[in-house]
């Protein structure tokens, strides 16, 4: 061990004895850096280790006692395991030039770049060093690697392969078969290079033999190989066995000399995502250097009981095996461990958010059974058992003394508004105020109309809950006249306005409430954390009810929405007719137009949805603006067609929707802006063009725009092309009206993006974990819940590294507790 490391070890041991008070050296540990680093560099200490020690000691004065303890332990481990001078150089400083290399295998897998968000800070202090600390990687090469997001040793360690080629099975030549992906050990018999296509291309051909037979090998446009592949050289070749003129051959295989350590052949070979200037071989060697040195040195942040109960391998093994697996079983164990880490940290985060929310107190609101039954009796229709169960959940929350934080998820048309009305009625009965925030003026106006009709005293109607006097429910939008805004603001302050429905205008400007005790947020995924917090801040720990018409798969409700209590409404009101859904081919478009005409002749209306607003130069999809003009002139010349898309101003959208609602248009041509919340009872046809461009959950939302009245309704889906695979995916829409089934299928096919909305903190980093893996998610949640129950603040010494890792994983993103 170099004397510089021995000196540092003595100082660190003294620091440990002193209880990590940063006084083992007068003025603090960082005061020794300049002289120590100078001595260490002259002793031949590798740059990576030197950088690790410098970085950690520079941070030491600003760390907490727990973090200092972890840092000292990590440094002592590093010193004890440091190789002798010269050994590290041979292991870390080998490097290849980065040059283009023909790729012989292509698959459709997506790159799997995972940031090292799952490590504790003390264990990563050396890995934050720039890649240029590795000899042979200069600024130019570093710039090339930067295109892959590789800037530090940490990035390199967590740049996971996108697939693996299994060349671990060796076969003699006489047992090879067409289509095999194998490794062959053989001797070069002859090699030559010749020009092709007038010298524009070259082909290098080798004949190899192993005593059982011969095999023809070819490489294209690599003439330099002839010098490397001398006769009587023994090679390991790995690739796919193909056929040429009736004889077996290999084209462009990977190869290595027999005496070399095999990274590219005769094993399970990792295949990484690449940019144009990076080759698999050079990146693989760089990976091997980094992984071999650093993976064994990273401390495991998972407490031992969690590892044991989860049946997980340790982190060091997982990082080695994810890059260079010895067997497929070892690879699967590594993937399981690293995916568990991500889900576990995710679960811990949302569980602690829920814990923080429940630590607050809120006012209790109770009503009697008789009072509630009286409301039920006044409704124009019976409630479903799903609605009754959701109301019972909310009633319990409001009476608990803790702020309600409940997600009400109900399929399109399941009756969420009535459930919210019961919560509002409970608050009003206790002389407090409620607010409903919706993402669009159209949806806010719709809520205002339905709640006013349902809950305001009406002498001419027996179907009113008679909760509010006229004027106690108000609508506040961005374009509400200023005089009316002043009147509403005044009513909220003095308490004469009991319920306000609005958009983001509710949280803008000098809006104050006398006693806001319930905040209802509709289509909550359309709002950011700050917007929800701003609404809650208008009251004193108000109860919170968030609603969504997007059915959420079970696995996501356990993770993405794991901080919320969940009420699921999966039952349709009595008498609601299921919507008939049909998948048509583009050739059946005229038939669809004829059907739309027949429905309009019966007095109904129709939607026609397009994936684009306007036709782009390179787009082959149909677009709403051009198609509306074509439909008006050529297909429906005697009908009135409206146009709605996202580029219209808010007041223009409202104008179009109100005109459609008032039956001034027979057909509304639109983009996906009608996806959520629009209620047009007279519309009976939803025709979706380019249906293959939408997810199943989104198509289900489109479908939910019709069938709101008593007439039978229809959904017609027309994909861009007659693609059997795509049409098979869409056919699920025709098979079920159950949004939950469709949501599960959508998650499997398209990933969680459609469900996340603004809930991105912590979720954007998931690259290895699959959010549809319910088994792994349930295991992680069970263990995370158990851990938090035993150590709510993760204050125990054995959880210190986990707490540090958790903070890094969630980063600076605020928790989303709504």
């Amino acid at each position: 061990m170099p004397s510089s490391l021995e000196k540092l070890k003595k100082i660190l041991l003294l620091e440990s004895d002193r209880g990590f008070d940063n006084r083992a050296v007068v003025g603090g540990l960082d005061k020794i850096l300049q002289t120590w680093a100078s001595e260490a560099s002259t002793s031949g200490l590798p740059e990576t280790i030197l950088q690790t020690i410098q970085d950690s000691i520079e941070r030491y004065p600003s760390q907490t006692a727990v973090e200092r303890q972890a840092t000292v332990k990590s440094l002592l481990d590093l010193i004890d395991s440091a190789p002798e001078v010269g050994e590290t150089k041979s292991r870390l400083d080998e490097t290849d030039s980065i040059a283009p290399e023909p790729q012989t295998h292509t698959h459709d897998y997506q790159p799997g770049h995972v940031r090292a968000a799952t490590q504790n800070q003390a264990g990563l202090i050396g890995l934050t060093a720039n890649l240029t600390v590795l000899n042979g990687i200069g600024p130019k090469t570093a710039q090339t690697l930067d295109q892959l997001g590789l800037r530090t040793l940490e990035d390199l360690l967590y740049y996971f392969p996108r697939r693996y080629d299994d060349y671990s099975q060796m076969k003699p030549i006489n047992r090879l078969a067409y289509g095999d992906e194998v490794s062959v050990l053989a001797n070069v018999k002859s090699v030559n290079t010749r020009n092709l296509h007038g010298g524009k291309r070259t082909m290098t051909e080798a004949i190899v033999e192993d005593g059982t037979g011969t095999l023809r090998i070819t490489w294209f446009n690599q003439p330099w190989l002839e010098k490397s592949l001398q006769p009587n050289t023994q090679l390991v070749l790995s690739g796919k066995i193909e056929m040429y003129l009736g004889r077996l051959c290999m084209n462009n295989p990977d190869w290595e000399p027999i005496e070399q350590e095999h990274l590219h052949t005769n094993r399970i070979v990792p295949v990484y995502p690449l940019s144009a200037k990076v080759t698999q071989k050079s990146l693989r060697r760089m990976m091997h250097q980094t992984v071999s040195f650093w993976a064994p040195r990273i401390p495991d942040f998972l407490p031992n009981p969690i590892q044991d109960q989860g049946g997980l391998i340790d982190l060091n093994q997982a990082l080695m095996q994810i890059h260079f697996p010895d067997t497929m079983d070892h690879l699967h164990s590594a993937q399981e461990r690293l995916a568990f880490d991500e889900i576990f940290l995710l679960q811990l985060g949302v569980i602690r958010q829920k814990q923080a929310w429940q630590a607050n107190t809120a006012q209790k609101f109770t009503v009697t059974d008789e009072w509630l039954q009286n409301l039920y009796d006044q409704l124009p229709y019976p409630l479903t058992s799903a609605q009754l169960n959701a109301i019972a959940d909310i009633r319990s929350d409001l009476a608990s003394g803790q702020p309600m934080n409940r997600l009400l998820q109900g399929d399109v048309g399941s009756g969420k508004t009535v459930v919210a009305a019961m919560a509002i009625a409970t608050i009003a009965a206790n002389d407090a105020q409620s607010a409903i925030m919706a993402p669009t003026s159209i949806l806010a106006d719709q809520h205002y109309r339905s709640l006013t009709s349902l809950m305001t005293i009406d002498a001419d109607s027996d179907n009113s809950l008679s909760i509010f006097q006229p004027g106690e429910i108000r609508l506040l939008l961005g374009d509400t006249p200023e005089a009316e805004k002043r009147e509403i603001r005044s009513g909220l302050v003095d308490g004469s306005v009991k319920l306000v429905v609005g958009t983001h205008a509710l949280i803008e400007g000098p809006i104050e409430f006398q006693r806001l005790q319930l905040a209802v947020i509709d289509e909550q995924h359309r709002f950011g954390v700050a917007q929800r917090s701003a609404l809650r801040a208008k009251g004193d720990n108000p109860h919170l009810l968030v609603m969504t018409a997007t059915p959420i798969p079970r696995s996501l409700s356990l993770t993405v929405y794991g901080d919320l209590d969940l009420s699921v409404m999966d039952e349709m009101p009595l008498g609601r007719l299921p919507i008939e859904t049909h998948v048509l081919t583009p050739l059946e478009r005229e038939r669809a137009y004829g059907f739309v005409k027949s429905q309009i002749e019966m007095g109904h209306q129709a939607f026609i949805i397009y994936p684009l607003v306007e036709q782009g130069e390179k787009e082959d999809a149909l677009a709403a603006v051009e198609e509306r003009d074509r439909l008006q002139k050529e297909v429906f010349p005697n009908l009135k067609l409206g146009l709605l898309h996202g580029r219209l101003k808010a007041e223009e959208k409202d104008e179009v929707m109100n005109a459609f609602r008032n039956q001034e248009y027979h057909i509304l041509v639109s983009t996906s802006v009608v996806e959520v919340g629009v209620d047009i009872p007279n519309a009976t046809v939803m025709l979706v063009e380019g249906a293959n461009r939408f997810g199943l959950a989104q198509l289900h939302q489109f479908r939910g725009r019709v069938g709101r009245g008593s007439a039978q309704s229809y959904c017609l889906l027309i994909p861009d092309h007659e693609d059997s695979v795509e049409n098979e995916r869409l056919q699920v829409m025709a098979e079920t009206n159950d949004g939950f089934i469709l949501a599960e299928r959508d998650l499997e096919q398209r990933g969680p993006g459609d469900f996340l909305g603004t809930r991105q903190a912590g979720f954007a980093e998931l690259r290895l974990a699959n959010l549809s893996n319910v088994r792994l998610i349930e295991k992680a949640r069970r263990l995370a819940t158990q851990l938090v129950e035993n150590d709510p603040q993760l204050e125990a010494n054995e959880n210190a590294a986990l707490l540090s890792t958790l903070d890094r994983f969630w980063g600076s993103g605020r928790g989303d507790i709504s």
Side-chain angles (χ1 to χ4, degrees), residues 524 532 560-561 563-564 756-761 763 816 818:
Q524 63 86 37
R532 290 192 287 271
V560 182
Y561 300 95
D563 55 323
L564 296 162
L756 291 182
T758 57
R759 295 194 143 221
Q760 292 298 332
F763 302 95
D816 183 357
S818 62

Side-chain angles (χ1 to χ4, degrees), residues 553-773:
R554 172 170 168 72
S555 60
L556 293 192
S557 68
L558 288 171
T559 50
V560 182
Y561 300 95
D563 55 323
L564 296 162
D565 294 314
L566 187 63
S567 291
V568 177
M569 292 170 53
D570 53 2
E571 185 179 355
M572 285 295 153
L574 197 64
R576 179 69 60 90
L577 295 172
I579 299 164
E580 282 190 28
T581 303
H582 302 275
V583 180
L584 308 178
T585 69
L587 293 176
E588 296 176 292
R589 186 173 283 114
E590 293 300 324
R591 178 181 162 206
Y593 291 158
F595 183 75
V596 169
K597 287 178 184 176
S598 68
Q599 286 291 302
I600 291 171
E601 288 170 359
M602 294 169 64
H604 301 305
Q605 293 165 280
F607 291 93
I608 301 181
I609 306 297
Y610 292 94
L612 301 177
V613 176
E614 292 181 290
Q615 193 72 49
E617 292 181 8
K618 298 181 180 179
E619 282 284 358
D620 59 354
L622 299 176
V625 173
E626 289 85 357
E627 284 297 299
R628 194 283 299 261
D629 294 340
R630 183 186 71 83
L631 291 171
Q632 184 70 82
K633 292 176 185 176
E634 301 175 14
V635 184
F636 306 111
N638 300 321
L639 302 179
K640 293 181 179 179
L641 276 66
L643 177 65
L644 184 70
H645 56 74
R647 293 181 191 171
L648 297 177
K649 296 178 181 177
E651 56 269 22
E652 293 173 325
K653 292 178 187 174
D654 292 348
E655 190 177 320
V656 172
M657 281 309 307
N658 286 330
F660 189 52
R661 183 184 285 118
N662 295 332
Q663 301 186 32
E664 294 174 28
Y665 295 125
H666 298 102
I667 298 172
L668 182 63
V669 177
S670 176
T671 59
S672 61
V673 72
V674 301
E675 176 187 344
V676 170
V678 180
D679 189 0
I680 311 292
N682 193 48
T684 58
V685 182
M686 170 61 68
L687 171 59
V688 183
E689 291 276 9
N692 52 295
R693 293 170 178 261
F694 300 105
L696 297 178
Q698 194 174 17
L699 289 172
H700 185 59
Q701 292 298 313
F702 292 147
R703 178 166 62 183
R705 298 310 103 220
V706 297
R708 317 287 284 192
S710 56
Q712 177 64 57
S713 293
Y714 306 87
C715 178
L716 309 178
L717 306 176
I718 304 179
D720 289 332
H721 308 288
E722 292 193 43
D723 185 318
S724 58
V725 174
E726 190 55 60
N727 290 355
E728 187 178 337
R729 180 180 77 89
L730 294 176
Q731 199 61 41
V732 180
M733 292 288 297
E735 294 168 4
T736 181
N737 274 274
D738 190 324
F740 292 92
I741 293 175
L742 295 172
E744 293 285 358
R745 294 284 186 91
D746 225 15
L747 178 62
E748 293 170 8
Q749 294 171 359
R750 294 164 64 93
D754 290 347
F755 301 94
L756 291 182
T758 57
R759 295 194 143 221
Q760 292 298 332
F763 302 95
E765 299 306 333
L766 300 183
R767 296 294 184 270
L768 204 59
N770 183 347
L771 283 178
S772 63
N773 186 344

